[in-house]
Amino acid sequence: MTRPKVIAGNWKMHNGPSATQGFFRDFEPEMPDAAVVLIVFPPALSFAAAVQSRRGRPEVELGVQNVFWEPKGAFTGEVSAAMAMAAGATYVLVGHSERRHVFGETDSEVTQKVQAVVKEGLVPVACVGETLAEREAGRVEEVILRQLDAILDGVDCLPGCRFMVAYEPVWAIGTGETATSDDARAAHAVLRSRLEAHLGIAEADKVPILYGGSVKPGNAGNLLATPGVDGVLVGGASLDAESFSQIVESV
Ligand code: PGA
């Protein structure tokens, strides 16, 4: 099966409401002939501005960067999947390495979040990836499979619900160091074969696996052409409409 390429922009804690309006004003990629899924993940406080600014741009879909697993309650500072849905989100990033390593999210918390997201009918983009120390210790496969298995074993609608995976080696995020095509190909093959073993080939075929970590206009074409790479999750280079447009055009 040929999966459409997915180009996703994770803005992290950048682009407030007026910068968000500016981004959508300037974001005019020449859409490639091939089918492409385009997703932007603005910060929660810019989400309403993104919904408004993208009116008339059905090619851009929106997601939030994080949710808490409870639907509502006394959880100061958190937002729920139900709120993300009501605000107009389609996707939710879950288990991004900054959530895991800066905010201490565990595999089991990531699983609870994925469960809450699919229950709401939103599509989780579940991130996995090893640190530099883990890579140097030869533990890439063990770490990314542990992170993926927690989700596959703990989410009750799998197989059945929509879901994406992003392979984001922690050492490549925001560092300017990108995985080589060979590194990406190897990690994606490990993840794909676990998805197939767990979900069956037909269901696994519907799950895109994105690569993330210092993707830029200059390397996006090469990464997107790597076998097994179904798309890219772009941080820094997605903040600026021009560079994000160039990445879309490199499909
Ligand atoms: P980067 O971030 O492209 O700035 O490395 C990627 C990500 O964290 O999703």
Side-chain angles (χ1 to χ4, degrees), residues 10 12 96 98 168 172-174 213-215 233-236:
N10 169 18
K12 311 190 181 189
H96 185 276
E98 286 142 24
E168 297 209 303
I173 296 180
S214 296
V215 176
L233 179 54
V234 187

Side-chain angles (χ1 to χ4, degrees), residues 108-215:
S108 101
E109 288 170 337
V110 170
T111 301
Q112 287 188 77
K113 291 184 175 194
V114 173
Q115 178 72 52
V117 167
V118 294
K119 194 165 157 227
E120 216 43 64
L122 294 162
V123 183
V125 180
C127 305
V128 300
E130 81 287 357
T131 62
L132 185 58
E134 288 163 342
R135 170 162 285 264
E136 286 174 348
R139 296 179 50 216
V140 176
E141 185 167 330
E142 171 211 322
V143 170
I144 62 179
L145 287 182
R146 188 201 75 223
Q147 294 170 337
L148 181 64
D149 283 347
I151 296 165
L152 294 176
D153 294 338
V155 174
D156 55 21
C157 69
L158 291 172
C161 48
R162 274 185 74 202
F163 155 62
M164 292 188 188
V165 176
Y167 169 61
E168 297 209 303
V170 179
W171 48 271
I173 296 180
T175 58
E177 251 186 78
T178 318
T180 62
S181 256
D182 284 347
D183 294 337
R185 186 202 309 241
H188 282 233
V190 163
L191 295 168
R192 168 91 25 226
S193 74
R194 185 63 124 233
L195 288 173
E196 288 176 353
H198 195 97
L199 305 176
I201 292 188
E203 278 299 314
D205 233 20
K206 298 178 191 159
V207 181
I209 306 178
L210 320 187
Y211 167 81
S214 296
V215 176

Side-chain angles (χ1 to χ4, degrees), residues 43-45 47 64-73 75-85 87 92 113 116-117:
L45 285 177
F47 198 84
V64 296
Q65 298 173 12
N66 178 40
V67 293
F68 187 52
W69 54 79
E70 292 291 346
K72 63 180 176 188
F75 303 105
T76 301
E78 298 293 320
V79 299
S80 69
M83 288 172 182
M85 178 70 154
V92 182
K113 291 184 175 194
V117 167

